[in-house]
Each structure stands twice: as structure tokens, then as C-alpha cells.
Amino acid sequence: MPAIKLIENIFWIGVNDRTTDLFEGIWPITDVGVSYNSYVIKGEMVALIDLAKGIKTDDYLTQVEEVVDPTKIDYIIINHVEPDHTGLIKIMSKVAPNATFVGTEKAKNMIADFYQLEDAKNIKWKVVTSGDEISLGKEQTLVFYEAPYVHWPETMVSYEKKTHVLFSCDAFGSYGALGGKIFDDDKGVDQNFYEEEALRYYTNIVAKFSRFVLKAIDSLEGLEISMIAPSHGLVWRKNPERIVELYKHWAECANDPSGGEAGITLVFASMYGNTNKMMNAIAQGIGKTGIPLKIFDAARTHVSYILPYFWKYKGIIIGSPTYEVNLFPPMAYVLDMAVRKRIVNKKTAFFGSYGWNDGAKRDFEKIAEKLKWTVLDTFNFVGGPSKEDLKKGEEMGEILANQILKSD
Ligand code: FEO
């Protein structure tokens, strides 16, 4: 994509990545891609805000050159060190030899560690803390706000005072490559797609640091914002409040004692179809109540897609056979990820088939306790479920759904 003007003298450049399969080496993006947004401010002095992953270097340099002679870049702002934002740092330090890198003290040290730049500790750095400013001439001034743990401890955001554009880095970002358009109000942009991918991105990448997200949003309170220009996904020009509200809501969900919205995520796994049969019976019971229900097979669905529903629905029902003497491994992985992402305060239940030891249920109960999940019911059965078992499962599903619907 060629460079795109954001507002007078500010340009989007960036890498639209449709070839990486796993973001951070773990989260699937094959179908949707991701963008690494980078921005140029052309004042009397020139600032480049964030870089990109170290791919498509030629395309990136071509975009930079469309807007500015790289040797005229005065500042390269490093809001965040994770390599999806800094992979091009070695090449940029060569093609922009007059640039001073700007970031927090931690960022400076992390860049040296990540890139083993022999002279990294000696490259021109301006260390900034919250409230520090850099004037780009008579017109533009950048001011920086530290935003630790949104996403790493060194992270900050940058704000241009004249145009009120917030360069928010990972905050307010989403998966989803850009389809030739970068703004929320561009004709034909599917905002729902980016909002859904923003939630998946949030739960995969940022969720664990939700209290820091709220802190960062609080610290920006009162700042006039005309546009939110994150490092991933759409630039929010028409309605920047929308993505802030969504992020605030998701961050608040982290400690919501109610567990979230009325809805159930039913995750099951099955070795020979017995737990699967019970899943269908339970789903049938749940279906009688009309509560939103999302069903996933833990062995066939990447946890990246399960986490958003864990996050937003207050009900989580787990169906797992006992494998040897523990949880079925794909289910153990899903629940381990729930622990890592701190999916707390849910209403839950467990069911599953076992042969000679009901270890899956024991493992589940330990995890539920750790995550402060309220266990409403459990239902284990030996081997295949009988007719009576399935009837009981259907009733259990309806009762659970009603309990979850009525719970605060
Ligand atoms: Fe977009 Fe934390 O990296």
C-alpha cells in the first residue's frame, strides 16, 4: 500500500502482513492478517513513529521515501520494543543515520538486548518519561505518556498536540490486515470485522494486563483526541471514542464479579464420541432457555478463538473425558490458557466420560478454584452415556442456563 495522508503533514505508512500464519508465533492470523502501522510527521523536523516487523523491508523503505528523504528523519519514536514494531530497527538506523531514537529508559535497554546492536547503547537516544515533549518546529509537538504493560513494561504512547492525534501503539489495536483503506469511516470498511478481531487481539495479547489498560485510559482522561492511530488495524478517525469504550469495557470485564454478559461458552473434547453425545444433550437443554451459546471442540479449535467468549460470557461449561488419569490434553491446554489470561469469576460446570479414574474432573476442580469459578454442577459418567444420563444432561443444561441467566 502507498503512504496515506492522515491529516496535514501526518502520514500512515506500514506493513500489511498477509503471510505470517502465527502472530507472536502462537496466535493464528492466516485468514485475516495483521498490519504494522507506522506514521511519519513532517514538520520542520521529521519524526517516524514506530517501525514494523522485519519483513517487506523494500516496500517499507519505498513508503518512507514517498514521504520523506530518510536521511532527513530527525526522530524515530520507539513506543514499544516488541519486534512486530521494531524489526526494521537495524536497517532504519543505517538509512536514517541522523535520527535520534526516542523511548523510555527501559526501551533503550531492551532494544540493545533484543537486537544485539553493538553500538545500541551508544546510538543517539533521547530517553523520555510521561509528559516530556519534543518540538518538531513551530507547528507540531509530540508529547509522550508511559503506558507500562500495554503491552510490555517499556511501552509508551505518543500524542501530537496540534492535531490531537494519539499514536497509541498496541492499545486500541486489532488483528486484520488493512484492505486498501485505513480509516474507520472509509466507505466499505467492515467495522464489525475489526471490532471482533480487536476483541480476539485483546484477549490473546493484552488481557493479562487489563488493570494497566485501565490505568493508561485513566491517564489519558481529559486529553482532546481527534484520531486514534494504533500500531495494528484501523485508524479511528470518525469515532475514536468507540475503540476506547470497547477496550475500557473489555478491561473492566477482567475483574467483573458478575463474570460478564449472560451467555455460555461450552468447550468440549471427545475421544470416541461419548463426551460429544453428552455435549449435545446439555446444549439441547441450554437451547430451551435462549441464552447465547457458543460451542467449541477444544481439539479442533485454536484457543485464540475460544478466549474472546471465555472473556465476555459469564458461563463456561467444560466437557472433557479423562485421558489416562487427567484432563484430555487439548482441554488441559485451553484451561491452562484461561489461567494465564486470568479468566476469573465465571459460573461453571463440568461433564465427561471416564473409564476407570475420574481425574479430568479433579483437574478441572483445581483450576476452577484457582480462577474463582463458581462450580454449579458436575456430571461424570463411565464409558458411554445411557438414555437416562442423556436425559439428566439435558435437564442439567437447562438448569445451568437458568442459573447463569439469573446470576448477578
Ligand atoms: Fe504489537 Fe506488543 O506488539
Side-chain angles (χ1 to χ4, degrees), residues 23-24 34-36 80-85 150-152 154-155 169-171 201 205-206 231-232:
F23 189 76
E24 289 190 335
V34 69
S35 68
Y36 313 111
H80 177 26
V81 172
E82 193 166 7
D84 55 322
H85 304 252
V150 190
H151 163 217
W152 283 4
E154 86 302 355
T155 309
C169 197
D170 275 353
Y201 173 86
I205 310 293
V206 192
S231 295
H232 306 295

Side-chain angles (χ1 to χ4, degrees), residues 20-275:
T20 294
D21 293 314
L22 297 173
F23 189 76
E24 289 190 335
I26 176 171
W27 310 110
I29 54 166
T30 307
D31 296 344
V32 297
V34 69
S35 68
Y36 313 111
N37 302 336
S38 178
Y39 302 93
V40 177
I41 305 182
K42 263 176 90 172
E44 288 164 40
M45 300 183 87
V46 176
L48 178 58
I49 299 181
D50 284 330
L51 303 172
K53 189 175 170 181
I55 57 171
K56 300 191 180 179
T57 310
D58 285 356
D59 292 349
Y60 183 84
L61 288 177
T62 303
Q63 284 180 320
V64 172
E65 283 164 355
E66 254 182 63
V67 180
V68 68
D69 172 354
T71 64
K72 302 267 167 51
I73 295 172
D74 297 287
Y75 297 106
I76 295 178
I77 314 298
I78 302 294
N79 279 328
H80 177 26
V81 172
E82 193 166 7
D84 55 322
H85 304 252
T86 57
L88 295 172
I89 200 163
K90 274 188 180 174
I91 189 80
M92 288 311 296
S93 68
K94 302 280 186 265
V95 301
N98 300 312
T100 298
F101 287 81
V102 179
T104 60
E105 181 76 41
K106 281 195 176 87
K108 178 182 172 180
N109 295 330
M110 288 171 95
I111 285 288
D113 292 338
F114 268 77
Y115 292 98
Q116 298 90 44
L117 292 173
E118 274 172 33
D119 54 352
K121 287 193 169 146
N122 301 319
I123 61 175
K124 283 182 285 177
W125 261 96
K126 182 173 172 61
V127 170
V128 291
T129 57
S130 282
D132 285 353
E133 296 185 355
I134 284 181
S135 167
L136 300 177
K138 283 192 216 85
E139 298 285 316
Q140 297 93 349
T141 304
L142 278 171
V143 54
F144 307 100
Y145 298 95
E146 290 175 76
Y149 295 100
V150 190
H151 163 217
W152 283 4
E154 86 302 355
T155 309
M156 65 178 195
V157 299
S158 304
Y159 175 75
E160 202 291 299
K161 282 171 91 173
K162 179 177 176 243
T163 53
H164 310 297
V165 177
L166 179 70
F167 301 95
S168 62
C169 197
D170 275 353
F172 314 127
S174 76
Y175 296 134
L178 299 164
K181 300 159 185 173
I182 68 165
F183 296 108
D184 58 341
D185 59 344
D186 273 332
K187 215 171 166 187
V189 162
D190 182 353
Q191 196 169 312
N192 284 340
F193 162 79
Y194 287 101
E195 288 186 7
E196 276 172 25
E197 287 300 325
L199 175 58
R200 189 162 72 95
Y201 173 86
Y202 186 89
T203 56
N204 294 182
I205 310 293
V206 192
K208 185 164 187 151
F209 306 112
S210 287
R211 74 187 173 94
F212 294 97
V213 172
L214 289 175
K215 249 181 157 174
I217 291 174
D218 270 0
S219 73
L220 299 173
E221 187 79 39
L223 206 62
E224 185 180 345
I225 293 173
S226 66
M227 214 181 286
I228 288 184
S231 295
H232 306 295
L234 288 180
V235 173
W236 298 79
R237 175 172 69 180
K238 183 174 180 204
N239 193 0
E241 301 81 19
R242 171 73 185 159
I243 193 67
V244 177
E245 277 162 17
L246 285 173
Y247 260 66
K248 189 160 187 266
H249 171 64
W250 297 332
E252 283 168 348
C253 283
N255 281 314
D256 182 350
S258 81
E261 299 168 25
I264 296 175
T265 317
L266 198 174
V267 187
F268 78 101
S270 192
M271 294 165 69
Y272 292 103
N274 292 319
T275 304

